[in-house]
Amino acid sequence: MDIAERKTVRTIAVASGKGGVGKTNITANIAIGLSRMNKKVLVLDADLGLSNIDVILNLATKYNIQHLFKGEKKLKDLIVEGPEGIQVLPASSGIQELTELDEFQRLRLIEEFESFDEGLDYLLIDTSSGISSNVGFFCMAAQEIIIVTSAEPTAMTDAYALIKVLFTKYQEKNFKVLVNSVKNAKEGTEVFRRLSTAAERFLSISLDYIGFIPLDSLVPKSVSQQRAFMDVYPESEASKSIIKITDRISNIENNNVKGTLQFFLGGLLNTKC
Ligand SMILES: Nc1ncnc2c1ncn2[C@@H]1O[C@H](COP(=O)(O)OP(=O)(O)OP(=O)(O)O)[C@@H](O)[C@H]1O
Ligand SMILES: [Mg+2]
């Protein structure tokens, strides 16, 4: 397909400073929410060394990103069908060399995405926690970044640290914040207020609030069932929050974002971490 004919793909990276705050669950469930709006969604598991979206969704993966880097498979061969029509590009688990992608591997990813023209509406990127070069790379390659934090002081401090690194190292100024595992809406807003006050005061950037997800026992329950909570507990509080967040995401004007899939490709190419 000609590049000019390609439809606009929104690429959204989901990141956090601290690990275990809910990125993978949130990404998978937002993907389902968008899919229910008849959007074609691909989730890229970018937690390359310690992937687990395939475990959370109980996907039978035959190949992973390592096969792509070895030149044994093409991007489309790796993609597996997830629940409710979402597509997943699995990473690999326990391969340490993938925790820091080298130039060759980045170029390989670019080439593969360049020739991938499956008419996607959204590419969601589930990143690893922390501030590694891979995280910087995927966040800068995406058009939009969702920072996930919980109300825990360590999670908030680490979220701020990630924002600071992406701002100081890559001049990134646009961040959406999602507060997970909170008691209620008030706690979500309060966490956002504290984070955004710090970002405004010390970095002079304003953050956008994209919403909260309550602490919900049906989330870990769905994880142990290896099903997405949107799928298995559609009436749960967590699912209701995901629907609100998905609505907000889909209502954001495309002209508010950095570019298109071409930007994703260009971003991948130009980001030196
Ligand atoms: N809203 C919630 N309510 C209750 N438990 C939650 C909620 N969100 C996430 N969890 C639990 O937190 C754990 C970690 O979630 P998840 O694996 O999605 O985090 P992560 O940020 O992707 O972790 P990692 O940094 O290791 O990739 C899971 O066991 C999940 O059940
Ligand atoms: Mg994860």
Side-chain angles (χ1 to χ4, degrees):
M1 195 188 293
D2 192 273
I3 286 229
E5 288 171 29
R6 270 190 164 152
K7 70 177 162 172
T8 308
V9 183
R10 277 179 66 189
T11 58
I12 306 175
V14 180
S16 72
K18 191 172 187 286
V21 293
K23 294 177 295 300
T24 302
N25 276 278
I26 288 167
T27 311
N29 284 283
I30 287 179
I32 291 176
L34 291 169
S35 182
R36 285 186 192 165
M37 296 173 165
N38 292 323
K39 302 295 181 193
K40 194 159 179 187
V41 190
L42 172 64
V43 177
L44 168 62
D45 186 347
D47 195 349
L48 298 178
L50 289 168
S51 77
N52 53 23
I53 199 155
D54 48 328
V55 180
I56 280 182
L57 298 177
N58 193 24
L59 305 176
T61 60
K62 203 164 167 194
Y63 307 113
N64 60 49
I65 213 150
Q66 182 80 337
H67 293 97
L68 185 114
F69 292 138
K70 286 184 180 160
E72 293 166 4
K73 291 287 160 201
K74 307 293 282 178
L75 195 68
K76 65 171 174 23
D77 303 321
L78 309 184
I79 291 172
V80 289
E81 191 82 12
E84 304 200 27
I86 69 165
Q87 295 185 310
V88 178
L89 183 67
S92 57
S93 229
I95 301 176
Q96 206 194 347
E97 66 195 65
L98 291 182
T99 55
E100 295 291 327
L101 288 182
D102 62 27
E103 194 80 355
F104 169 79
Q105 290 166 323
R106 287 175 189 186
L107 284 168
R108 188 96 189 89
L109 262 186
I110 296 162
E111 275 168 18
E112 288 292 330
F113 271 99
E114 250 167 355
S115 55
F116 186 76
D117 53 14
E118 304 292 309
L120 288 182
D121 295 300
Y122 286 90
L123 173 62
L124 303 184
I125 308 174
D126 175 26
T127 69
S128 51
S129 54
I131 46 179
S132 68
S133 67
N134 270 5
V135 172
F137 167 64
F138 283 111
C139 283
M140 295 327 297
Q143 300 157 340
E144 299 164 72
I145 304 167
I146 297 178
I147 303 281
V148 180
T149 183
S150 67
E152 278 180 26
T154 45
M156 289 174 65
T157 309
D158 294 355
Y160 176 77
L162 176 60
I163 291 170
K164 187 177 170 187
V165 166
L166 294 173
F167 173 69
T168 52
K169 206 166 167 190
Y170 309 105
Q171 292 76 52
E172 178 59 57
K173 292 190 187 70
N174 297 305
F175 299 94
K176 297 177 176 67
V177 175
L178 193 163
V179 188
N180 189 25
S181 304
V182 289
K183 287 196 286 279
N184 49 36
K186 192 165 169 256
E187 189 176 41
T189 323
E190 178 56 19
V191 169
F192 173 72
R193 194 192 58 75
R194 284 163 61 187
L195 201 54
S196 67
T197 303
E200 233 156 78
R201 193 154 164 203
F202 301 114
L203 308 173
S204 301
I205 54 174
S206 54
L207 309 178
D208 296 317
Y209 187 43
I210 194 134
F212 73 95
I213 302 172
L215 183 71
D216 185 339
S217 60
L218 293 175
V219 176
K221 206 169 166 196
S222 73
V223 172
S224 39
Q225 291 170 292
Q226 293 185 276
R227 301 270 300 272
F229 57 80
M230 281 280 278
D231 186 17
V232 69
Y233 301 115
E235 299 302 325
S236 63
E237 293 307 312
S239 293
K240 287 180 195 159
S241 299
I242 288 282
I243 289 166
K244 283 190 198 145
I245 289 164
T246 311
D247 273 347
R248 249 169 249 148
I249 291 173
S250 75
N251 284 331
I252 292 168
E253 294 284 333
N254 260 357
N255 59 13
N256 278 351
V257 300
K258 286 191 284 201
T260 62
L261 182 65
Q262 287 76 51
F263 183 86
F264 176 69
L265 304 173
L268 283 172
L269 194 58
N270 295 329
T271 306
K272 301 263 187 293
C273 298

